[in-house]
Amino acid sequence: MVACKDWHDVPAGPASWMRVTAIERGQYPHPFVAFMAGACYHCAQPVCLKACPVQAISKREEDGIVLVDRGLCLGRDQCDKCLKACPYKAPQFGAEKNPRMQKCDFCLDRWAEEKLPICVAGCPMRALDAGPLEEMEAKHGKTRHAVGFKYHERIAPAVLFKPKPENMPLPI
Ligand code: SF4
Ligand code: SF4
């Protein structure tokens, strides 16, 4: 989250392109705690794009990255249809007056230099990875479900998980 805000110069405040939430389940002596990193999932069928009344959101043909043109966005005072449409609450808005939508752009500037997104590069545990979906499936498997995440078939978010097993023993 910090690496993302820093790299993209997102000011302190409500907008956070990457969000990490703690998921707690179970009961003592069998608690379950996991962390979910959530940004925009660059869905195959992005409902944000369909919801936008001014075509400010687009999906690139070549790699499927979903982008927002902030110059076209009407601003939250007039419209927040993308936020209402997205089940992952990926569209973000700053604290300024009539903020324009902003969100994860897959670190396009870094891709252009053949570098991984800053969240991937910044994770000390190497818990994140990014790349073409087929490549990620070959490396990490095809699991689309994890505790705390709902996979919506009709939207097809481009994300997969190596979930933490719910019966994983606690470290001593
Ligand atoms: S995660 Fe939300 S904002 Fe991102 S492409 Fe999918 S619907 Fe759009
Ligand atoms: S907030 Fe902006 S990007 Fe989102 S739907 Fe409205 S005009 Fe489009």
Side-chain angles (χ1 to χ4, degrees), residues 110-131:
R110 294 178 60 84
W111 279 117
E113 297 177 359
E114 300 189 356
K115 291 178 183 163
L116 286 167
I118 197 68
C119 55
V120 177
C123 175
M125 300 306 289
R126 300 288 175 259
L128 299 172
D129 202 355

PDB file of all heavy atoms in Angstrom, residues 110-131:
ATOM      1  N   ARG A 110       6.103   1.242 -15.354  1.00  0.00           N
ATOM      2  CA  ARG A 110       7.110   0.225 -15.036  1.00  0.00           C
ATOM      3  C   ARG A 110       7.106  -0.898 -16.074  1.00  0.00           C
ATOM      4  O   ARG A 110       8.149  -1.397 -16.465  1.00  0.00           O
ATOM      5  CB  ARG A 110       6.872  -0.317 -13.623  1.00  0.00           C
ATOM      6  CG  ARG A 110       7.110   0.728 -12.533  1.00  0.00           C
ATOM      7  CD  ARG A 110       6.826   0.172 -11.154  1.00  0.00           C
ATOM      8  NE  ARG A 110       7.660  -0.978 -10.812  1.00  0.00           N
ATOM      9  CZ  ARG A 110       8.890  -0.889 -10.309  1.00  0.00           C
ATOM     10  NH1 ARG A 110       9.415   0.293 -10.043  1.00  0.00           N
ATOM     11  NH2 ARG A 110       9.579  -1.985 -10.032  1.00  0.00           N
ATOM     12  N   TRP A 111       5.911  -1.301 -16.517  1.00  0.00           N
ATOM     13  CA  TRP A 111       5.840  -2.338 -17.557  1.00  0.00           C
ATOM     14  C   TRP A 111       6.607  -1.908 -18.804  1.00  0.00           C
ATOM     15  O   TRP A 111       7.271  -2.711 -19.460  1.00  0.00           O
ATOM     16  CB  TRP A 111       4.391  -2.642 -17.952  1.00  0.00           C
ATOM     17  CG  TRP A 111       3.684  -3.568 -17.021  1.00  0.00           C
ATOM     18  CD1 TRP A 111       2.588  -3.270 -16.270  1.00  0.00           C
ATOM     19  CD2 TRP A 111       4.002  -4.935 -16.703  1.00  0.00           C
ATOM     20  NE1 TRP A 111       2.212  -4.346 -15.508  1.00  0.00           N
ATOM     21  CE2 TRP A 111       3.065  -5.378 -15.760  1.00  0.00           C
ATOM     22  CE3 TRP A 111       5.006  -5.807 -17.121  1.00  0.00           C
ATOM     23  CZ2 TRP A 111       3.086  -6.673 -15.232  1.00  0.00           C
ATOM     24  CZ3 TRP A 111       5.037  -7.103 -16.592  1.00  0.00           C
ATOM     25  CH2 TRP A 111       4.078  -7.516 -15.667  1.00  0.00           C
ATOM     26  N   ALA A 112       6.495  -0.608 -19.099  1.00  0.00           N
ATOM     27  CA  ALA A 112       7.178  -0.096 -20.300  1.00  0.00           C
ATOM     28  C   ALA A 112       8.684  -0.306 -20.193  1.00  0.00           C
ATOM     29  O   ALA A 112       9.381  -0.403 -21.196  1.00  0.00           O
ATOM     30  CB  ALA A 112       6.851   1.382 -20.480  1.00  0.00           C
ATOM     31  N   GLU A 113       9.172  -0.395 -18.946  1.00  0.00           N
ATOM     32  CA  GLU A 113      10.602  -0.647 -18.742  1.00  0.00           C
ATOM     33  C   GLU A 113      10.857  -2.099 -18.346  1.00  0.00           C
ATOM     34  O   GLU A 113      11.916  -2.429 -17.805  1.00  0.00           O
ATOM     35  CB  GLU A 113      11.130   0.283 -17.645  1.00  0.00           C
ATOM     36  CG  GLU A 113      11.034   1.748 -18.018  1.00  0.00           C
ATOM     37  CD  GLU A 113      11.495   2.669 -16.894  1.00  0.00           C
ATOM     38  OE1 GLU A 113      11.880   2.177 -15.803  1.00  0.00           O
ATOM     39  OE2 GLU A 113      11.459   3.881 -17.110  1.00  0.00           O
ATOM     40  N   GLU A 114       9.835  -2.949 -18.590  1.00  0.00           N
ATOM     41  CA  GLU A 114       9.919  -4.385 -18.283  1.00  0.00           C
ATOM     42  C   GLU A 114      10.196  -4.635 -16.802  1.00  0.00           C
ATOM     43  O   GLU A 114      10.921  -5.557 -16.441  1.00  0.00           O
ATOM     44  CB  GLU A 114      10.963  -5.064 -19.171  1.00  0.00           C
ATOM     45  CG  GLU A 114      10.595  -4.908 -20.642  1.00  0.00           C
ATOM     46  CD  GLU A 114      11.472  -5.739 -21.556  1.00  0.00           C
ATOM     47  OE1 GLU A 114      12.419  -6.375 -21.070  1.00  0.00           O
ATOM     48  OE2 GLU A 114      11.192  -5.743 -22.757  1.00  0.00           O
ATOM     49  N   LYS A 115       9.592  -3.789 -15.957  1.00  0.00           N
ATOM     50  CA  LYS A 115       9.699  -3.989 -14.504  1.00  0.00           C
ATOM     51  C   LYS A 115       8.343  -4.421 -13.969  1.00  0.00           C
ATOM     52  O   LYS A 115       7.299  -4.016 -14.506  1.00  0.00           O
ATOM     53  CB  LYS A 115      10.108  -2.686 -13.817  1.00  0.00           C
ATOM     54  CG  LYS A 115      11.519  -2.245 -14.113  1.00  0.00           C
ATOM     55  CD  LYS A 115      11.773  -0.922 -13.407  1.00  0.00           C
ATOM     56  CE  LYS A 115      13.156  -0.409 -13.727  1.00  0.00           C
ATOM     57  NZ  LYS A 115      13.289   1.014 -13.415  1.00  0.00           N
ATOM     58  N   LEU A 116       8.357  -5.191 -12.873  1.00  0.00           N
ATOM     59  CA  LEU A 116       7.111  -5.608 -12.247  1.00  0.00           C
ATOM     60  C   LEU A 116       6.450  -4.419 -11.547  1.00  0.00           C
ATOM     61  O   LEU A 116       7.132  -3.445 -11.206  1.00  0.00           O
ATOM     62  CB  LEU A 116       7.393  -6.705 -11.223  1.00  0.00           C
ATOM     63  CG  LEU A 116       7.714  -8.082 -11.810  1.00  0.00           C
ATOM     64  CD1 LEU A 116       8.285  -8.992 -10.734  1.00  0.00           C
ATOM     65  CD2 LEU A 116       6.475  -8.701 -12.453  1.00  0.00           C
ATOM     66  N   PRO A 117       5.128  -4.494 -11.322  1.00  0.00           N
ATOM     67  CA  PRO A 117       4.458  -3.420 -10.573  1.00  0.00           C
ATOM     68  C   PRO A 117       5.136  -3.193  -9.217  1.00  0.00           C
ATOM     69  O   PRO A 117       5.718  -4.113  -8.643  1.00  0.00           O
ATOM     70  CB  PRO A 117       3.028  -3.939 -10.398  1.00  0.00           C
ATOM     71  CG  PRO A 117       2.836  -4.906 -11.522  1.00  0.00           C
ATOM     72  CD  PRO A 117       4.179  -5.530 -11.758  1.00  0.00           C
ATOM     73  N   ILE A 118       5.005  -1.979  -8.720  1.00  0.00           N
ATOM     74  CA  ILE A 118       5.732  -1.601  -7.509  1.00  0.00           C
ATOM     75  C   ILE A 118       5.253  -2.401  -6.282  1.00  0.00           C
ATOM     76  O   ILE A 118       6.045  -2.674  -5.375  1.00  0.00           O
ATOM     77  CB  ILE A 118       5.630  -0.076  -7.263  1.00  0.00           C
ATOM     78  CG1 ILE A 118       6.698   0.385  -6.285  1.00  0.00           C
ATOM     79  CG2 ILE A 118       4.238   0.334  -6.827  1.00  0.00           C
ATOM     80  CD1 ILE A 118       8.109   0.306  -6.796  1.00  0.00           C
ATOM     81  N   CYS A 119       3.982  -2.822  -6.247  1.00  0.00           N
ATOM     82  CA  CYS A 119       3.513  -3.630  -5.099  1.00  0.00           C
ATOM     83  C   CYS A 119       4.221  -4.980  -5.086  1.00  0.00           C
ATOM     84  O   CYS A 119       4.600  -5.501  -4.028  1.00  0.00           O
ATOM     85  CB  CYS A 119       1.997  -3.814  -5.149  1.00  0.00           C
ATOM     86  SG  CYS A 119       1.387  -4.525  -6.695  1.00  0.00           S
ATOM     87  N   VAL A 120       4.418  -5.548  -6.283  1.00  0.00           N
ATOM     88  CA  VAL A 120       5.099  -6.848  -6.382  1.00  0.00           C
ATOM     89  C   VAL A 120       6.563  -6.676  -5.974  1.00  0.00           C
ATOM     90  O   VAL A 120       7.097  -7.449  -5.172  1.00  0.00           O
ATOM     91  CB  VAL A 120       4.999  -7.403  -7.817  1.00  0.00           C
ATOM     92  CG1 VAL A 120       5.763  -8.705  -7.943  1.00  0.00           C
ATOM     93  CG2 VAL A 120       3.540  -7.597  -8.207  1.00  0.00           C
ATOM     94  N   ALA A 121       7.187  -5.650  -6.526  1.00  0.00           N
ATOM     95  CA  ALA A 121       8.601  -5.413  -6.219  1.00  0.00           C
ATOM     96  C   ALA A 121       8.795  -5.058  -4.746  1.00  0.00           C
ATOM     97  O   ALA A 121       9.821  -5.359  -4.156  1.00  0.00           O
ATOM     98  CB  ALA A 121       9.138  -4.295  -7.104  1.00  0.00           C
ATOM     99  N   GLY A 122       7.766  -4.419  -4.142  1.00  0.00           N
ATOM    100  CA  GLY A 122       7.922  -3.932  -2.777  1.00  0.00           C
ATOM    101  C   GLY A 122       7.586  -4.943  -1.708  1.00  0.00           C
ATOM    102  O   GLY A 122       7.882  -4.717  -0.535  1.00  0.00           O
ATOM    103  N   CYS A 123       6.966  -6.064  -2.068  1.00  0.00           N
ATOM    104  CA  CYS A 123       6.550  -7.036  -1.042  1.00  0.00           C
ATOM    105  C   CYS A 123       7.760  -7.828  -0.543  1.00  0.00           C
ATOM    106  O   CYS A 123       8.367  -8.577  -1.313  1.00  0.00           O
ATOM    107  CB  CYS A 123       5.497  -7.993  -1.607  1.00  0.00           C
ATOM    108  SG  CYS A 123       5.068  -9.282  -0.422  1.00  0.00           S
ATOM    109  N   PRO A 124       8.113  -7.685   0.747  1.00  0.00           N
ATOM    110  CA  PRO A 124       9.315  -8.360   1.243  1.00  0.00           C
ATOM    111  C   PRO A 124       9.165  -9.878   1.289  1.00  0.00           C
ATOM    112  O   PRO A 124      10.167 -10.591   1.330  1.00  0.00           O
ATOM    113  CB  PRO A 124       9.500  -7.777   2.651  1.00  0.00           C
ATOM    114  CG  PRO A 124       8.142  -7.325   3.052  1.00  0.00           C
ATOM    115  CD  PRO A 124       7.436  -6.905   1.790  1.00  0.00           C
ATOM    116  N   MET A 125       7.921 -10.379   1.297  1.00  0.00           N
ATOM    117  CA  MET A 125       7.701 -11.827   1.386  1.00  0.00           C
ATOM    118  C   MET A 125       7.454 -12.459   0.022  1.00  0.00           C
ATOM    119  O   MET A 125       7.169 -13.643  -0.079  1.00  0.00           O
ATOM    120  CB  MET A 125       6.498 -12.121   2.302  1.00  0.00           C
ATOM    121  CG  MET A 125       6.657 -11.614   3.721  1.00  0.00           C
ATOM    122  SD  MET A 125       8.160 -12.196   4.518  1.00  0.00           S
ATOM    123  CE  MET A 125       7.757 -13.927   4.749  1.00  0.00           C
ATOM    124  N   ARG A 126       7.534 -11.649  -1.038  1.00  0.00           N
ATOM    125  CA  ARG A 126       7.285 -12.164  -2.398  1.00  0.00           C
ATOM    126  C   ARG A 126       5.921 -12.871  -2.469  1.00  0.00           C
ATOM    127  O   ARG A 126       5.775 -13.935  -3.068  1.00  0.00           O
ATOM    128  CB  ARG A 126       8.397 -13.111  -2.852  1.00  0.00           C
ATOM    129  CG  ARG A 126       9.758 -12.456  -2.872  1.00  0.00           C
ATOM    130  CD  ARG A 126       9.883 -11.471  -4.023  1.00  0.00           C
ATOM    131  NE  ARG A 126      11.142 -10.738  -4.000  1.00  0.00           N
ATOM    132  CZ  ARG A 126      11.288  -9.486  -3.551  1.00  0.00           C
ATOM    133  NH1 ARG A 126      10.250  -8.807  -3.081  1.00  0.00           N
ATOM    134  NH2 ARG A 126      12.446  -8.891  -3.570  1.00  0.00           N
ATOM    135  N   ALA A 127       4.935 -12.249  -1.814  1.00  0.00           N
ATOM    136  CA  ALA A 127       3.587 -12.837  -1.791  1.00  0.00           C
ATOM    137  C   ALA A 127       2.779 -12.447  -3.011  1.00  0.00           C
ATOM    138  O   ALA A 127       1.701 -12.994  -3.236  1.00  0.00           O
ATOM    139  CB  ALA A 127       2.851 -12.393  -0.520  1.00  0.00           C
ATOM    140  N   LEU A 128       3.266 -11.484  -3.793  1.00  0.00           N
ATOM    141  CA  LEU A 128       2.522 -11.016  -4.971  1.00  0.00           C
ATOM    142  C   LEU A 128       3.306 -11.327  -6.240  1.00  0.00           C
ATOM    143  O   LEU A 128       4.532 -11.416  -6.219  1.00  0.00           O
ATOM    144  CB  LEU A 128       2.294  -9.500  -4.886  1.00  0.00           C
ATOM    145  CG  LEU A 128       1.495  -8.977  -3.694  1.00  0.00           C
ATOM    146  CD1 LEU A 128       1.529  -7.456  -3.671  1.00  0.00           C
ATOM    147  CD2 LEU A 128       0.063  -9.475  -3.747  1.00  0.00           C
ATOM    148  N   ASP A 129       2.564 -11.477  -7.309  1.00  0.00           N
ATOM    149  CA  ASP A 129       3.194 -11.663  -8.615  1.00  0.00           C
ATOM    150  C   ASP A 129       2.267 -11.015  -9.643  1.00  0.00           C
ATOM    151  O   ASP A 129       1.088 -10.745  -9.353  1.00  0.00           O
ATOM    152  CB  ASP A 129       3.386 -13.156  -8.910  1.00  0.00           C
ATOM    153  CG  ASP A 129       4.472 -13.399  -9.959  1.00  0.00           C
ATOM    154  OD1 ASP A 129       5.014 -12.422 -10.516  1.00  0.00           O
ATOM    155  OD2 ASP A 129       4.774 -14.578 -10.232  1.00  0.00           O
ATOM    156  N   ALA A 130       2.747 -10.763 -10.807  1.00  0.00           N
ATOM    157  CA  ALA A 130       1.917 -10.148 -11.846  1.00  0.00           C
ATOM    158  C   ALA A 130       2.473 -10.501 -13.207  1.00  0.00           C
ATOM    159  O   ALA A 130       3.671 -10.739 -13.367  1.00  0.00           O
ATOM    160  CB  ALA A 130       1.897  -8.622 -11.673  1.00  0.00           C
ATOM    161  N   GLY A 131       1.566 -10.563 -14.168  1.00  0.00           N
ATOM    162  CA  GLY A 131       1.973 -10.867 -15.534  1.00  0.00           C
ATOM    163  C   GLY A 131       0.783 -11.365 -16.316  1.00  0.00           C
ATOM    164  O   GLY A 131      -0.347 -11.355 -15.812  1.00  0.00           O
TER     165      GLY A 131
END
